[in-house]
Structures are given as C-alpha cells and as structure tokens.
C-alpha cells in the first residue's frame, strides 16, 4: 500500500480528495492536513510514502507546497511529493523540479477526479520517477509555437514530447501509442535534434531538459 498524507486548506477539497484516494486499491490515506505546520508535524510523525499537497496553503497562501517539496529533498529524501495546482503554471512546475525531478509530480486539481490519473502520479513518484500533467506541457508548447524548433516538430513528435515530460520511459511511450520501441527512439532522436537538447537516457533528466526548453530557459 502507498501511504499518503494529504494537505489542502480547503475542507471541501480535502473531502473530495479523501473520497478519490479511498477508491484507489493500493493507496491508504493516513492523514489530512490544513496548513504547512500541521503537514510538517504529520510527516515527521507518520513517515508516509507520498505527500499529496496543494501549492498554496497557510500561513502565506503562496507556494508552501513547492517549498515544502524542496525541504523534503534534504530532510526526508525517501518521501515522494505530488503537487496539485488549480491552474497550469509552468513556472511552479520548474520550481518543483529545480533540485531534481525524481519522486516529484505536478498535477492539475481538475484531473484528480480521474482516480486512474491520480493513482498513476502516486505510483510514479513512489517508483522514483517524475510526472508532469500533459496539459501543462500542451500550454508550454503553445507558448513556444513561434520557435522554429517547436514549429518543426511533427504531430507525433509533439505527442511523444508530452509523454517524455510526463516521465514516461521509451517502453511506456511505445505501449501507449501502440508503436515499436525502436520507432519511439527514432522520434525522440528527431525531437532532441530539432530542439537542440541532449539525448540523455535518464528519464528524469529528459523531463527537466524538456521543460527548461519549453519555458525558454534552456537556450
């Protein structure tokens, strides 16, 4: 079972998330918190596998969830973090991955209604991988449409780029698109060549490199 501590300052959001988490067979919600201090104390006491947290919560209602994910890198590196956002905010995604993308996920709140999507994000971070909501990648691609590298990508390459940024392995991408792994590798080589990105084999590094490029910070 994946032991989860939930943090959200909205009572209704906590109730809704509690219901969704309770419907996922391999997930056990061990506690729900309303603010950052309560979350810190609960994680220290219960030592969960994953923290599922809103970006904003008391005391400042700014970026507590992102900052706490950074704290856990040092204090409890074994704990994964899934950050929930009300809106697609690429800059927050990059802040989350700033000190490493392993065991971190960024998911839009509207997607947690789909228990399969939430379950997948939780399993990815427990497995040491990363996950980025595909809608955030779509927005980043849209923002960069004037860039010749992005413009040169084929529809299939854009589709694969989004799956790379979600943290998918080549095997997973091949299965999802029902194509061969060799075909995926060819597409990825083409993507990285057009975007002038290194074809690093490490999935987490590929996620960060892709997001950096799409944010315009990698050039």
């Amino acid at each position: 079972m994946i032991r989860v501590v939930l943090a959200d300052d909205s009572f209704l959001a906590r109730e809704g998330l509690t219901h969704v988490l309770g419907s996922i067979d391999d997930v056990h919600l061990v506690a729900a918190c309303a603010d950052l201090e309560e979350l810190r104390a609960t994680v220290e006491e219960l030592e969960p596998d994953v923290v599922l947290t809103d970006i904003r919560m008391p005391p400042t209602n700014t970026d507590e969830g992102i900052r706490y994910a950074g704290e856990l890198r040092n204090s409890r590196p074994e704990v994964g973090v899934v950050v929930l956002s009300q809106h697609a905010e690429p800059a927050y995604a990059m802040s989350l991955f700033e000190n490493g993308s392993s065991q971190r996920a960024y998911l839009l709140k509207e997607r947690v209604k789909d228990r399969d999507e939430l379950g997948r994000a939780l399993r990815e971070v427990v497995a040491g991988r990363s996950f980025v909501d595909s809608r955030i990648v779509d927005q980043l691609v849209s923002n960069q449409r004037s860039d010749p590298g992005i413009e040169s990508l084929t529809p299939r390459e854009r589709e694969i780029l989004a799956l790379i940024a979600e943290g998918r392995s080549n095997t997973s991408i091949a299965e999802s698109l029902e194509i061969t792994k060799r075909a995926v590798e060819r597409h990825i080589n083409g993507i990285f060549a057009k975007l002038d990105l290194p074809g690093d084999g490490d999935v987490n590094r590929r996620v960060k490199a892709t997001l950096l490029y799409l944010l315009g910070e990698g050039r």
Side-chain angles (χ1 to χ4, degrees), residues 38-52:
E38 184 183 5
L39 175 59
R40 282 195 182 110
T42 302
V43 169
E44 286 301 309
E45 178 185 356
L46 299 181
E47 301 181 352
D49 300 307
V50 181
V51 169
L52 176 64

Side-chain angles (χ1 to χ4, degrees), residues 93-133:
M94 277 310 306
S95 294
L96 178 64
F97 298 133
E98 185 176 8
N99 294 314
S101 55
S102 62
Q103 297 174 280
R104 296 294 180 267
Y106 189 95
L107 192 64
L108 293 179
K109 273 191 172 181
E110 64 188 66
R111 307 273 270 189
V112 302
K113 298 174 185 176
D114 181 350
R115 67 177 185 179
D116 292 337
E117 190 80 357
L118 178 56
R120 183 180 156 221
L122 293 169
R123 294 181 197 104
E124 287 294 306
V125 299
V126 166
R129 295 187 290 268
S130 55
F131 182 91
V132 183
D133 196 301

Side-chain angles (χ1 to χ4, degrees), residues 7 20 24 30 33 44 49 51 71 76 105 112 116 121 124 132 145 178 180 192 202 212:
V20 175
I24 305 174
V30 296
C33 308
E44 286 301 309
D49 300 307
V51 169
E71 288 179 23
R76 289 196 174 274
V112 302
D116 292 337
E124 287 294 306
V132 183
R145 284 294 168 86
E178 298 182 344
T180 66
F192 285 151
D202 180 82
L212 279 169

Side-chain angles (χ1 to χ4, degrees), residues 14 18 38 41-42 77 85 92 95 111 153-154 170-171 182 188 205 215 219:
R14 290 198 305 276
T18 296
E38 184 183 5
T42 302
S85 176
Y92 279 134
S95 294
R111 307 273 270 189
L153 296 182
T154 66
N170 290 358
T171 299
R182 181 165 293 184
I188 289 175
R205 290 179 182 175
L215 276 171
R219 290 162 292 157

Side-chain angles (χ1 to χ4, degrees), residues 3-147:
R3 300 174 69 254
V4 177
V5 166
L6 167 65
D8 197 301
D9 65 322
S10 166
F11 173 77
L12 291 178
R14 290 198 305 276
E15 288 295 295
L17 286 164
T18 296
H19 177 73
V20 175
L21 291 167
S23 71
I24 305 174
D25 291 340
D26 58 342
V27 171
H28 174 49
L29 178 63
V30 296
C33 308
D35 59 51
L36 181 58
E37 290 309 310
E38 184 183 5
L39 175 59
R40 282 195 182 110
T42 302
V43 169
E44 286 301 309
E45 178 185 356
L46 299 181
E47 301 181 352
D49 300 307
V50 181
V51 169
L52 176 64
T53 179
D54 192 8
I55 285 181
R56 299 179 179 90
M57 70 185 86
T60 68
N61 292 301
T62 54
D63 62 346
E64 278 81 3
I66 298 290
R67 288 190 286 109
Y68 185 56
E71 288 179 23
L72 286 174
R73 280 284 182 209
N74 296 319
S75 62
R76 289 196 174 274
E78 74 280 2
V79 177
V81 180
V82 177
V83 171
L84 300 175
S85 176
Q86 191 70 40
H87 307 287
E89 300 174 275
Y92 279 134
M94 277 310 306
S95 294
L96 178 64
F97 298 133
E98 185 176 8
N99 294 314
S101 55
S102 62
Q103 297 174 280
R104 296 294 180 267
Y106 189 95
L107 192 64
L108 293 179
K109 273 191 172 181
E110 64 188 66
R111 307 273 270 189
V112 302
K113 298 174 185 176
D114 181 350
R115 67 177 185 179
D116 292 337
E117 190 80 357
L118 178 56
R120 183 180 156 221
L122 293 169
R123 294 181 197 104
E124 287 294 306
V125 299
V126 166
R129 295 187 290 268
S130 55
F131 182 91
V132 183
D133 196 301
S134 60
R135 295 193 187 184
I136 295 170
V137 179
D138 290 342
Q139 178 176 315
L140 290 170
V141 170
S142 296
N143 292 344
Q144 295 292 328
R145 284 294 168 86
S146 61
D147 184 273

